[in-house]
Amino acid sequence: MDNSGYIFADDDVTGGVWYFVAPGKFMGDQSEFVGGNLDFYLIQKSALSDQFESKDVIIEGGDNQEIYYYHSSYPDTTWTHYEISLDTSAGWMNSSNTDASPSEIQSVLSDVQSLRIRGEFESGPDTGGLDKFQFIEE
């Protein structure tokens, strides 16, 4: 993969699952996006032979609150578009591993402390890329 404006990382197979971490401009009060969407593209360069499930998007708020999301399909070797509703219709989960409530989503988005998007989907060596991440208002 060449670097034509997106960010990417190579997995050195040292253990664990790695994530792209959003910069500071996406932290703090993002409550205006409740009911809107997270929008981004992912790509992976891998054998696509040993894909594994893990939390795909993790948003942490104040007071150790967390919501997370699982993609319905893994990114491909071409850019794969993801548009995830920031409401209960998308299937966000909370730290108790149950469906996140509207108030939990609101609370986390009103004080975002960390936002991570999974970049690794293959057990073994791979490269992951992220492009065009944005919050979109309803």
Side-chain angles (χ1 to χ4, degrees), residues 46-106:
S46 75
L48 299 178
S49 62
D50 196 8
Q51 307 283 284
F52 65 92
E53 188 173 290
S54 192
K55 295 175 182 176
D56 292 311
V57 179
I58 303 168
I59 306 174
E60 296 173 353
D63 297 327
N64 295 315
Q65 290 186 305
E66 174 184 287
I67 57 173
Y68 62 89
Y69 175 84
Y70 290 103
H71 296 311
S72 59
S73 62
Y74 299 119
D76 204 344
T77 56
T78 58
W79 287 106
T80 305
H81 181 233
Y82 293 93
E83 186 174 32
I84 306 166
S85 297
L86 290 166
D87 59 33
T88 57
S89 70
W92 288 94
M93 305 293 287
N94 62 29
S95 56
S96 299
N97 298 317
T98 60
D99 292 339
S101 69
S103 64
E104 288 171 319
I105 294 170
Q106 172 74 39

Side-chain angles (χ1 to χ4, degrees), residues 115-136:
L115 192 158
R116 295 175 283 158
I117 298 174
R118 183 162 71 125
E120 173 183 24
F121 298 88
E122 180 82 359
S123 292
D126 61 313
T127 299
L130 171 68
D131 198 11
K132 301 180 182 174
F133 175 85
Q134 59 183 334
F135 282 109
I136 298 176

